[in-house]
Amino acid sequence: MSEKINRDRRRLLGTAVLTLAAAEFNTIRSADAQSRTINSIKSGTNTSFSSLKQIDAGVLNVGYAEAGPANGPPVVLLHGWPYDIYSFVDVTPLLASAGYRVIVPYLRGYGPTRFLSSETFRNGQPAAVAVDIIAFMDALKIQKATLGGFDWGARTANIIAALWPERCKAMVSVSGYLIGSQEGGKMPLPPKAELEWWYQFYFATERGRAGYDKYRRDFSKLIWQLASPKWNFDDATFDRSAASFDNPDHVAIVIHNYRWRLALVEGEAKYADLDKRLAAGPVITVPTITLEGDANGAPHLDPSAYAGKFSGKYSHRTITGGVGHNLPQEAPQAFAQAVVDVDKY
């Protein structure tokens, strides 16, 4: 009888020790998450990435930058047009030093990212770009990540958060809720608002396609200047990103994207169900921080117009100091801090 009692005591003691160890581990993990801090940094401090890689994912061979511990919480950062991964050249080391595994892919049509087959349709519709990122995460065996982006990248993050919330732990989205539809793109706006979309109308013409192809660097620099009128970027900063526009599929992807948004061209039938769900304007349930620069010269809505689209824990921050459309590159500390903060939500 006494031997059985001793066995029971040992079993209970072992359970208590394991429970205590688990509690201590969770406390340490929680404290580690709370202790992640972002260092002060000036835009333009970094000019390169420590690691550039390639991986087959879906219909693409994707070029991407990676930094930080391999076992750190994954963060996927997504760029817009006409920009590239260098929008996150200062954000990446900030998050890596805070313990995150940071991954920054070139979208289809940018930099070293290439289609695996010459037969694949060069499709720029938003649903296709979002599916690319899901395939990219699958290839890297990342089940769930915090997503952050601006412009095309924010729209892509929005779509993933809305349609595949199980893949998105939390999100940082510049300019808020950017999910749209072809029907929405048909609706006329007041003349002043239409003027801001001049390049979309230009791209709708064959002259616009040819002009963008011929003058893609001059065109992109003009967009940078209009979208971020107070950002005094130098030629070297622009040239680092402009090299990505030499991708052989870049013009086709960009032109198709903007023509699709105006319902001037068809997408691929395999994305029809996704487009139907997106056209309903789905609410995003994952924790989100939206950001806006106080000097964003690109078309954007007031935050009050989209706050109701986020049903999870949510907050908005306006970043001051003359910050324009390319917010991660112009205000890297603020963007990185938002990633750390939303990770705690």
Side-chain angles (χ1 to χ4, degrees):
M1 185 70 173
S2 61
E3 183 178 346
K4 181 179 182 301
I5 292 173
N6 287 334
R7 283 201 308 270
D8 291 343
R9 284 175 176 171
R10 286 194 296 269
R11 186 174 68 251
L12 291 171
L13 179 60
T15 301
V17 169
L18 289 174
T19 301
L20 179 60
E24 288 178 346
F25 173 76
N26 287 330
T27 299
I28 291 170
R29 185 171 60 180
S30 175
D32 179 62
Q34 295 295 324
S35 67
R36 298 184 196 280
T37 57
I38 292 301
N39 299 322
S40 177
I41 194 171
K42 181 181 178 181
S43 175
T45 298
N46 296 284
T47 59
S48 63
F49 291 92
S50 60
S51 175
L52 292 175
K53 303 178 180 180
Q54 299 283 143
I55 192 169
D56 287 350
V59 299
L60 301 171
N61 176 261
V62 180
Y64 66 102
E66 182 169 359
N71 62 348
V75 175
V76 178
L77 303 176
L78 303 169
H79 67 81
W81 171 85
Y83 307 93
D84 77 336
I85 68 171
Y86 281 91
S87 289
F88 300 101
V89 72
D90 287 320
V91 170
T92 297
L94 289 177
L95 292 175
S97 65
Y100 292 93
R101 180 188 180 190
V102 189
I103 301 162
V104 195
Y106 287 92
L107 300 185
R108 57 169 58 192
Y110 293 81
T113 292
R114 297 289 189 275
F115 286 89
L116 294 173
S117 170
S118 61
E119 302 301 316
T120 303
F121 177 52
R122 272 38 178 177
N123 183 353
Q125 72 186 104
V129 180
V131 169
D132 287 346
I133 301 306
I134 292 294
F136 176 65
M137 291 172 62
D138 288 344
L140 292 175
K141 296 181 171 53
I142 296 174
Q143 177 59 34
K144 199 169 192 175
T146 295
L147 304 179
F150 74 106
D151 197 85
W152 287 23
R155 182 173 293 106
T156 302
N158 285 187
I159 292 171
I160 293 171
L163 299 186
W164 299 281
E166 71 279 4
R167 307 301 299 270
C168 181
K169 179 183 179 183
M171 179 173 65
V172 174
S173 178
V174 176
S175 297
Y177 186 90
L178 297 176
I179 294 174
S181 68
Q182 287 189 315
E183 284 303 311
K186 295 177 183 178
M187 299 299 293
L189 300 172
K192 186 177 180 180
E194 295 281 28
L195 179 63
E196 295 179 332
W197 293 110
W198 65 271
Y199 55 89
Q200 292 202 27
F201 302 124
Y202 181 63
F203 287 164
T205 68
E206 179 55 26
R207 175 173 172 168
R209 187 209 63 77
Y212 185 58
D213 191 11
K214 183 176 181 179
Y215 299 108
R216 65 184 80 177
R217 293 200 178 204
D218 292 339
F219 194 101
S220 298
K221 181 174 280 191
L222 175 61
I223 295 295
W224 280 38
Q225 292 164 342
L226 295 174
S228 300
K230 296 186 178 181
W231 182 32
N232 295 316
F233 59 88
D234 58 23
D235 288 343
T237 298
F238 175 76
D239 290 343
R240 277 189 289 273
S241 287
S244 288
F245 314 148
D246 294 333
N247 182 296
D249 301 308
H250 178 74
V251 173
I253 295 296
V254 171
I255 297 301
H256 186 266
N257 176 279
Y258 287 108
R259 289 182 181 180
W260 182 92
R261 287 164 64 177
L262 292 176
L264 299 175
V265 295
E266 296 295 324
E268 291 181 88
K270 63 183 178 180
Y271 301 116
D273 180 63
L274 298 181
D275 285 337
K276 183 178 179 180
R277 292 165 63 189
L278 294 171
V283 170
I284 291 174
T285 60
V286 306
T288 300
I289 292 176
T290 57
L291 303 175
E292 191 61 82
D294 64 341
N296 184 3
H300 62 282
L301 296 174
D302 185 273
S304 62
Y306 53 72
K309 285 295 188 179
F310 301 96
S311 65
K313 189 168 182 182
Y314 169 75
S315 64
H316 175 80
R317 299 173 183 177
T318 297
I319 310 305
T320 60
V323 176
H325 188 60
N326 186 5
L327 192 149
Q329 196 163 3
E330 298 176 59
Q333 185 176 341
F335 189 94
Q337 189 63 58
V339 172
V340 170
D341 292 344
V342 81
D343 183 47
K344 299 174 186 176
Y345 278 10

